[in-house]
Amino acid sequence: MKVTRATFDDVMVPNYNPAKMIPVKGEGSRVWDQEGKEYIDFAGGIAVNCLGHCHPAMVNALTEQGNKLWHLSNVFTNEPAIRLAKKLTDATFADRVYFANSGAEANEAALKLARRWALDKHGADKNQIIAFTKGFHGRTFFTVTVGGQPAYSDGFGPKPGAIEHVDYNDLAALEAQMSDKTCAVMMEPLQGEGGVISPDAEFVKGVRELCDKYNALLIFDEVQTGFGRTGSLYAYQQLGVTPDILASAKSLGGGFPIGAMLTTAEIAEHLKPGTHGSTYGGNPLACAVAEAVFDVVHTDEVLAGVQAREELFKSKLAEINQRYGIFQDIRGKGLLIGAELTEEYAGKARDFLNAGADEGVMVLVAGPSVVRFTPSLIIPEADVLEGLARFEKAIAKIVG
Ligand SMILES: Cc1ncc(COP(=O)(O)O)c(C=O)c1O
């Protein structure tokens, strides 16, 4: 059956408005559409395809597991899930893992766990969750309400309660909100969707101290920063601050849907049998692929390579900027890079995304005025240079 972009409009709910072309094949950091046109992929499925497209380690893991066992439900456990959980706990602060299917679900589990922990230990009054404006934590109603973007959470009727927001990097504002009623503070250790905004080192330390002072849990949403993207397995490992709960997804599966919530043994105790669950969470196919991704990403070679690629990206973007003067800031960490447009081009990030696609390079936006780059962690240097050359052509067309 021949399908086209026009078919999409006939059969799909219109909550997405995808590009006009339909990608059909990917290899490494290159993608081809139905017409055979080639694109360099700097988007990586929104920070998901951390090993590019069809990495042999992932294809092998999926094929091998696909010939063995696909699904059983959580009435039974399975070997890939246990092996992946062991690797994640060995490599992080965490002692326990809960598997989900997406970032929102990992965050949903984190928030429910924090509420249950507070109820069990401190009583019903300790239920306040504080998060940050411009934060993004997913689209379930709980997580989207905790996310600090009302445009995403308004319009669906009464919201889950006891959720407050303060500005990111404003420690005084956080302190003013916190009390013994605070059950958890949820934050991204580098805001992705909100515009690629890094936290001040002092701010993150201060958040931890306030959580300790008021006996509140610190939840790091590492769905976008996680799994190698900032040059360490998780971003917290470079910040000198350890959360109580961490949510991971996106790169964790490298393109296969999986999410995970990581926490300590003591906190995990509060999700007793029957309190939470998922049919697919911990699915053997997903865990086998994630284990293969883990084995490749959790190496000095790949993690050090992220830093080298960050330097290459940022220096080339700065060179382009010298010629066109369209960015007022080039920022981010590792391969989560944001280039904020000058006042003249404010609000036009999507024009750059579209012009890039026309020239054969996929980029992302993070809000209306930031162009975002989240390529594969192992993207070859030649692809970085070729993709940025194509992006420069797109800029030239816009600037005229
Ligand atoms: C920081 C963060 N948390 C949560 C999510 C939601 O993840 P998912 O779309 O897999 O539910 C995202 C997605 O962009 C994200 O960037």
Side-chain angles (χ1 to χ4, degrees):
M1 181 172 42
K2 170 87 177 146
V3 291
T4 65
R5 178 60 178 76
T7 324
F8 177 96
D9 292 334
D10 291 339
V11 296
M12 296 287 201
V13 169
N15 60 315
Y16 303 116
N17 181 20
K20 296 293 169 228
M21 59 81 172
I22 301 183
V24 292
K25 181 174 139 62
E27 192 184 322
S29 283
R30 301 202 180 212
V31 172
W32 292 267
D33 70 14
Q34 284 179 318
E35 316 304 323
K37 179 175 168 179
E38 181 208 81
Y39 302 80
I40 306 270
D41 186 2
F42 286 165
I46 317 190
V48 167
N49 298 41
C50 60
L51 298 179
H53 297 274
C54 301
H55 189 285
M58 295 172 64
V59 174
N60 288 343
L62 185 61
T63 312
E64 199 181 303
Q65 188 60 40
N67 282 311
K68 260 194 206 160
L69 182 69
W70 282 41
H71 181 76
L72 282 168
S73 91
N74 284 298
V75 174
F76 307 94
T77 187
N78 64 75
E79 290 179 355
I82 300 171
R83 279 200 307 267
L84 178 61
K86 177 85 178 95
K87 289 183 179 182
L88 287 169
T89 52
D90 283 350
T92 64
F93 74 95
D95 316 303
R96 299 286 185 268
V97 180
Y98 165 82
F99 285 121
N101 311 292
S102 65
E105 283 181 52
N107 281 327
E108 182 86 16
L111 291 164
K112 284 180 71 179
L113 170 58
R115 282 268 179 85
R116 185 57 72 104
W117 166 88
L119 179 72
D120 289 350
K121 281 192 66 128
H122 303 279
D125 279 351
K126 194 173 178 69
N127 59 23
Q128 183 201 41
I129 289 162
I130 306 181
F132 297 93
T133 47
K134 294 194 179 165
F136 186 80
H137 302 299
R139 298 284 198 152
T140 65
F141 208 13
F142 199 175
T143 58
V144 83
T145 306
V146 173
Q149 304 190 51
Y152 294 151
S153 55
D154 286 353
F156 299 100
K159 295 178 183 178
I163 297 165
E164 309 290 343
H165 295 96
V166 298
D167 283 347
Y168 200 63
N169 278 329
D170 189 344
L171 199 58
L174 178 64
E175 186 157 24
Q177 275 291 339
M178 283 189 81
S179 70
D180 290 333
K181 291 191 173 167
T182 309
C183 125
V185 174
M186 181 177 243
M187 65 182 284
E188 293 159 84
L190 188 167
Q191 287 190 327
E193 301 298 309
V196 189
I197 301 163
S198 293
D200 302 332
E202 288 313 306
F203 172 70
V204 193
K205 290 204 175 80
V207 176
R208 176 73 269 179
E209 281 162 19
L210 286 173
C211 286
D212 292 342
K213 179 173 168 190
Y214 291 106
N215 230 336
L217 299 181
L218 177 57
I219 305 172
F220 270 8
D221 175 352
E222 293 233 29
V223 168
Q224 190 154 159
T225 53
F227 234 58
R229 186 140 300 276
T230 69
S232 49
L233 194 61
Y234 289 103
Y236 87 86
Q237 291 164 322
Q238 291 177 77
L239 286 170
V241 165
T242 304
D244 300 298
I245 305 178
L246 182 151
S248 184
K250 288 192 183 276
S251 295
L252 177 61
F256 203 100
I258 183 169
M261 177 195 71
L262 279 58
T263 189
T264 64
E266 197 192 336
I267 298 168
E269 283 302 302
H270 296 270
L271 279 191
K272 294 194 174 25
T275 50
H276 192 57
S278 153
T279 295
Y280 277 121
N283 167 279
L285 289 174
C287 291
V289 174
E291 188 190 0
V293 177
F294 181 100
D295 289 343
V296 177
V297 171
H298 193 231
T299 54
D300 291 342
E301 189 194 339
V302 169
L303 295 177
V306 169
Q307 206 187 333
R309 287 168 178 78
E310 171 188 0
E311 282 158 21
L312 179 65
F313 249 98
K314 284 184 172 167
S315 67
K316 290 287 161 198
L317 282 171
E319 278 173 27
I320 292 174
N321 204 31
Q322 272 171 5
R323 293 190 279 275
Y324 295 92
I326 53 161
F327 302 129
Q328 56 171 302
D329 193 20
I330 296 164
R331 58 180 182 247
K333 186 141 186 65
L335 289 172
L336 175 45
I337 295 171
E340 182 169 8
L341 296 164
T342 56
E343 288 304 315
E344 194 183 344
Y345 295 97
K348 296 201 168 135
R350 196 155 284 279
D351 294 353
F352 288 84
L353 181 153
N354 291 334
D358 288 346
E359 294 303 324
V361 58
M362 295 165 156
V363 302
L364 292 169
V365 300
S369 304
V370 176
V371 182
R372 180 172 34 152
F373 305 86
T374 57
S376 155
L377 306 183
I378 56 169
I379 184 170
E381 184 177 329
D383 288 2
V384 176
L385 298 178
E386 172 64 21
L388 286 175
R390 293 181 190 183
F391 191 57
E392 182 164 356
K393 279 192 197 149
I395 293 171
K397 278 207 174 142
I398 291 178
V399 172

